[in-house]
PDB file of all heavy atoms in Angstrom:
ATOM      1  N   ALA A 398      91.685  94.848 142.304  1.00 94.00           N
ATOM      2  CA  ALA A 398      91.011  95.962 141.597  1.00 94.00           C
ATOM      3  C   ALA A 398      91.678  97.291 141.951  1.00 94.00           C
ATOM      4  O   ALA A 398      91.836  98.154 141.089  1.00 94.00           O
ATOM      5  CB  ALA A 398      89.543  95.988 141.945  1.00 94.00           C
ATOM      6  N   VAL A 399      92.113  97.418 143.185  1.00 93.00           N
ATOM      7  CA  VAL A 399      92.814  98.659 143.594  1.00 93.00           C
ATOM      8  C   VAL A 399      94.154  98.776 142.891  1.00 93.00           C
ATOM      9  O   VAL A 399      94.538  99.855 142.421  1.00 93.00           O
ATOM     10  CB  VAL A 399      92.996  98.660 145.135  1.00 93.00           C
ATOM     11  CG1 VAL A 399      93.875  99.855 145.548  1.00 93.00           C
ATOM     12  CG2 VAL A 399      91.664  98.753 145.826  1.00 93.00           C
ATOM     13  N   LEU A 400      94.886  97.654 142.796  1.00 92.00           N
ATOM     14  CA  LEU A 400      96.171  97.665 142.129  1.00 92.00           C
ATOM     15  C   LEU A 400      96.022  98.049 140.648  1.00 92.00           C
ATOM     16  O   LEU A 400      96.886  98.714 140.064  1.00 92.00           O
ATOM     17  CB  LEU A 400      96.841  96.294 142.251  1.00 92.00           C
ATOM     18  CG  LEU A 400      97.348  95.897 143.627  1.00 92.00           C
ATOM     19  CD1 LEU A 400      97.863  94.456 143.611  1.00 92.00           C
ATOM     20  CD2 LEU A 400      98.442  96.846 144.112  1.00 92.00           C
ATOM     21  N   LEU A 401      94.941  97.572 140.029  1.00 92.00           N
ATOM     22  CA  LEU A 401      94.724  97.829 138.604  1.00 92.00           C
ATOM     23  C   LEU A 401      93.955  99.129 138.338  1.00 92.00           C
ATOM     24  O   LEU A 401      93.739  99.482 137.170  1.00 92.00           O
ATOM     25  CB  LEU A 401      93.941  96.659 137.997  1.00 92.00           C
ATOM     26  CG  LEU A 401      94.604  95.283 138.071  1.00 92.00           C
ATOM     27  CD1 LEU A 401      93.693  94.235 137.425  1.00 92.00           C
ATOM     28  CD2 LEU A 401      95.960  95.289 137.398  1.00 92.00           C
ATOM     29  N   SER A 402      93.528  99.822 139.394  1.00 91.00           N
ATOM     30  CA  SER A 402      92.733 101.031 139.271  1.00 91.00           C
ATOM     31  C   SER A 402      91.458 100.792 138.494  1.00 91.00           C
ATOM     32  O   SER A 402      91.054 101.566 137.615  1.00 91.00           O
ATOM     33  CB  SER A 402      93.561 102.155 138.578  1.00 91.00           C
ATOM     34  OG  SER A 402      94.732 102.412 139.318  1.00 91.00           O
ATOM     35  N   LEU A 403      90.813  99.672 138.805  1.00 93.00           N
ATOM     36  CA  LEU A 403      89.568  99.276 138.148  1.00 93.00           C
ATOM     37  C   LEU A 403      88.500  98.945 139.188  1.00 93.00           C
ATOM     38  O   LEU A 403      88.796  98.817 140.375  1.00 93.00           O
ATOM     39  CB  LEU A 403      89.791  98.044 137.242  1.00 93.00           C
ATOM     40  CG  LEU A 403      90.781  98.167 136.106  1.00 93.00           C
ATOM     41  CD1 LEU A 403      90.980  96.807 135.473  1.00 93.00           C
ATOM     42  CD2 LEU A 403      90.300  99.160 135.055  1.00 93.00           C
ATOM     43  N   THR A 404      87.272  98.777 138.724  1.00 93.00           N
ATOM     44  CA  THR A 404      86.227  98.273 139.588  1.00 93.00           C
ATOM     45  C   THR A 404      86.334  96.746 139.651  1.00 93.00           C
ATOM     46  O   THR A 404      87.027  96.117 138.814  1.00 93.00           O
ATOM     47  CB  THR A 404      84.848  98.665 139.080  1.00 93.00           C
ATOM     48  OG1 THR A 404      84.645  98.073 137.779  1.00 93.00           O
ATOM     49  CG2 THR A 404      84.724 100.191 138.938  1.00 93.00           C
ATOM     50  N   THR A 405      85.656  96.139 140.596  1.00 93.00           N
ATOM     51  CA  THR A 405      85.694  94.688 140.729  1.00 93.00           C
ATOM     52  C   THR A 405      85.127  94.005 139.477  1.00 93.00           C
ATOM     53  O   THR A 405      85.681  93.004 139.008  1.00 93.00           O
ATOM     54  CB  THR A 405      84.906  94.242 141.988  1.00 93.00           C
ATOM     55  OG1 THR A 405      85.447  94.905 143.133  1.00 93.00           O
ATOM     56  CG2 THR A 405      85.003  92.740 142.179  1.00 93.00           C
ATOM     57  N   ALA A 406      84.059  94.553 138.946  1.00 94.00           N
ATOM     58  CA  ALA A 406      83.417  93.971 137.779  1.00 94.00           C
ATOM     59  C   ALA A 406      84.360  94.030 136.569  1.00 94.00           C
ATOM     60  O   ALA A 406      84.488  93.068 135.806  1.00 94.00           O
ATOM     61  CB  ALA A 406      82.103  94.697 137.464  1.00 94.00           C
ATOM     62  N   GLU A 407      85.040  95.172 136.374  1.00 95.00           N
ATOM     63  CA  GLU A 407      85.975  95.317 135.257  1.00 95.00           C
ATOM     64  C   GLU A 407      87.172  94.375 135.408  1.00 95.00           C
ATOM     65  O   GLU A 407      87.658  93.795 134.439  1.00 95.00           O
ATOM     66  CB  GLU A 407      86.480  96.756 135.154  1.00 95.00           C
ATOM     67  CG  GLU A 407      85.393  97.740 134.703  1.00 95.00           C
ATOM     68  CD  GLU A 407      85.883  99.177 134.764  1.00 95.00           C
ATOM     69  OE1 GLU A 407      86.841  99.468 135.521  1.00 95.00           O
ATOM     70  OE2 GLU A 407      85.305 100.029 134.069  1.00 95.00           O
ATOM     71  N   THR A 408      87.627  94.211 136.668  1.00 94.00           N
ATOM     72  CA  THR A 408      88.725  93.285 136.935  1.00 94.00           C
ATOM     73  C   THR A 408      88.352  91.856 136.560  1.00 94.00           C
ATOM     74  O   THR A 408      89.130  91.151 135.902  1.00 94.00           O
ATOM     75  CB  THR A 408      89.123  93.352 138.435  1.00 94.00           C
ATOM     76  OG1 THR A 408      89.463  94.701 138.755  1.00 94.00           O
ATOM     77  CG2 THR A 408      90.312  92.432 138.711  1.00 94.00           C
ATOM     78  N   GLU A 409      87.168  91.414 136.985  1.00 94.00           N
ATOM     79  CA  GLU A 409      86.712  90.063 136.650  1.00 94.00           C
ATOM     80  C   GLU A 409      86.558  89.897 135.139  1.00 94.00           C
ATOM     81  O   GLU A 409      86.858  88.825 134.590  1.00 94.00           O
ATOM     82  CB  GLU A 409      85.390  89.779 137.348  1.00 94.00           C
ATOM     83  CG  GLU A 409      85.508  89.628 138.862  1.00 94.00           C
ATOM     84  CD  GLU A 409      84.181  89.299 139.518  1.00 94.00           C
ATOM     85  OE1 GLU A 409      83.164  89.242 138.760  1.00 94.00           O
ATOM     86  OE2 GLU A 409      84.146  89.057 140.734  1.00 94.00           O
ATOM     87  N   LYS A 410      86.111  90.954 134.468  1.00 94.00           N
ATOM     88  CA  LYS A 410      85.930  90.883 133.009  1.00 94.00           C
ATOM     89  C   LYS A 410      87.266  90.648 132.296  1.00 94.00           C
ATOM     90  O   LYS A 410      87.381  89.775 131.430  1.00 94.00           O
ATOM     91  CB  LYS A 410      85.304  92.198 132.526  1.00 94.00           C
ATOM     92  CG  LYS A 410      85.216  92.302 131.008  1.00 94.00           C
ATOM     93  CD  LYS A 410      84.749  93.684 130.595  1.00 94.00           C
ATOM     94  CE  LYS A 410      84.854  93.883 129.079  1.00 94.00           C
ATOM     95  NZ  LYS A 410      84.467  95.266 128.686  1.00 94.00           N
ATOM     96  N   HIS A 411      88.293  91.391 132.683  1.00 95.00           N
ATOM     97  CA  HIS A 411      89.601  91.272 132.020  1.00 95.00           C
ATOM     98  C   HIS A 411      90.256  89.923 132.368  1.00 95.00           C
ATOM     99  O   HIS A 411      90.897  89.313 131.512  1.00 95.00           O
ATOM    100  CB  HIS A 411      90.510  92.424 132.433  1.00 95.00           C
ATOM    101  CG  HIS A 411      90.150  93.714 131.796  1.00 95.00           C
ATOM    102  ND1 HIS A 411      90.381  93.989 130.458  1.00 95.00           N
ATOM    103  CD2 HIS A 411      89.545  94.834 132.289  1.00 95.00           C
ATOM    104  CE1 HIS A 411      89.979  95.224 130.161  1.00 95.00           C
ATOM    105  NE2 HIS A 411      89.453  95.770 131.260  1.00 95.00           N
ATOM    106  N   ILE A 412      90.091  89.467 133.610  1.00 94.00           N
ATOM    107  CA  ILE A 412      90.631  88.147 133.961  1.00 94.00           C
ATOM    108  C   ILE A 412      89.958  87.073 133.137  1.00 94.00           C
ATOM    109  O   ILE A 412      90.642  86.160 132.619  1.00 94.00           O
ATOM    110  CB  ILE A 412      90.427  87.877 135.478  1.00 94.00           C
ATOM    111  CG1 ILE A 412      91.303  88.827 136.308  1.00 94.00           C
ATOM    112  CG2 ILE A 412      90.764  86.435 135.805  1.00 94.00           C
ATOM    113  CD1 ILE A 412      91.062  88.735 137.784  1.00 94.00           C
ATOM    114  N   SER A 413      88.687  87.159 132.980  1.00 94.00           N
ATOM    115  CA  SER A 413      87.914  86.142 132.206  1.00 94.00           C
ATOM    116  C   SER A 413      88.376  86.137 130.742  1.00 94.00           C
ATOM    117  O   SER A 413      88.531  85.042 130.135  1.00 94.00           O
ATOM    118  CB  SER A 413      86.422  86.430 132.281  1.00 94.00           C
ATOM    119  OG  SER A 413      85.971  86.405 133.611  1.00 94.00           O
ATOM    120  N   GLN A 414      88.616  87.314 130.181  1.00 93.00           N
ATOM    121  CA  GLN A 414      89.060  87.387 128.778  1.00 93.00           C
ATOM    122  C   GLN A 414      90.438  86.737 128.605  1.00 93.00           C
ATOM    123  O   GLN A 414      90.650  85.988 127.649  1.00 93.00           O
ATOM    124  CB  GLN A 414      89.113  88.842 128.340  1.00 93.00           C
ATOM    125  CG  GLN A 414      87.740  89.466 128.117  1.00 93.00           C
ATOM    126  CD  GLN A 414      87.818  90.935 127.725  1.00 93.00           C
ATOM    127  OE1 GLN A 414      88.880  91.548 127.799  1.00 93.00           O
ATOM    128  NE2 GLN A 414      86.709  91.517 127.324  1.00 93.00           N
ATOM    129  N   MET A 415      91.346  87.019 129.536  1.00 93.00           N
ATOM    130  CA  MET A 415      92.678  86.426 129.440  1.00 93.00           C
ATOM    131  C   MET A 415      92.660  84.921 129.656  1.00 93.00           C
ATOM    132  O   MET A 415      93.415  84.194 128.986  1.00 93.00           O
ATOM    133  CB  MET A 415      93.635  87.082 130.448  1.00 93.00           C
ATOM    134  CG  MET A 415      93.910  88.561 130.162  1.00 93.00           C
ATOM    135  SD  MET A 415      95.130  89.273 131.289  1.00 93.00           S
ATOM    136  CE  MET A 415      96.637  88.454 130.730  1.00 93.00           C
ATOM    137  N   VAL A 416      91.824  84.454 130.531  1.00 93.00           N
ATOM    138  CA  VAL A 416      91.690  83.002 130.733  1.00 93.00           C
ATOM    139  C   VAL A 416      91.123  82.357 129.502  1.00 93.00           C
ATOM    140  O   VAL A 416      91.577  81.269 129.068  1.00 93.00           O
ATOM    141  CB  VAL A 416      90.822  82.738 131.971  1.00 93.00           C
ATOM    142  CG1 VAL A 416      90.484  81.247 132.061  1.00 93.00           C
ATOM    143  CG2 VAL A 416      91.515  83.180 133.246  1.00 93.00           C
ATOM    144  N   SER A 417      90.144  82.981 128.873  1.00 92.00           N
ATOM    145  CA  SER A 417      89.541  82.430 127.659  1.00 92.00           C
ATOM    146  C   SER A 417      90.555  82.390 126.500  1.00 92.00           C
ATOM    147  O   SER A 417      90.539  81.455 125.683  1.00 92.00           O
ATOM    148  CB  SER A 417      88.328  83.280 127.230  1.00 92.00           C
ATOM    149  OG  SER A 417      87.334  83.253 128.226  1.00 92.00           O
ATOM    150  N   ASN A 418      91.446  83.394 126.435  1.00 90.00           N
ATOM    151  CA  ASN A 418      92.465  83.439 125.386  1.00 90.00           C
ATOM    152  C   ASN A 418      93.626  82.516 125.649  1.00 90.00           C
ATOM    153  O   ASN A 418      94.480  82.323 124.798  1.00 90.00           O
ATOM    154  CB  ASN A 418      92.969  84.857 125.186  1.00 90.00           C
ATOM    155  CG  ASN A 418      91.882  85.812 124.721  1.00 90.00           C
ATOM    156  OD1 ASN A 418      90.935  85.373 124.073  1.00 90.00           O
ATOM    157  ND2 ASN A 418      92.034  87.097 125.004  1.00 90.00           N
TER     158      ASN A 418
END
Side-chain angles (χ1 to χ4, degrees):
V399 173
L400 290 175
L401 300 179
S402 302
L403 299 173
T404 63
T405 303
E407 290 174 338
T408 303
E409 290 183 356
K410 173 187 172 183
H411 287 287
I412 292 174
S413 300
Q414 288 177 349
M415 293 185 70
V416 171
S417 298
N418 296 334

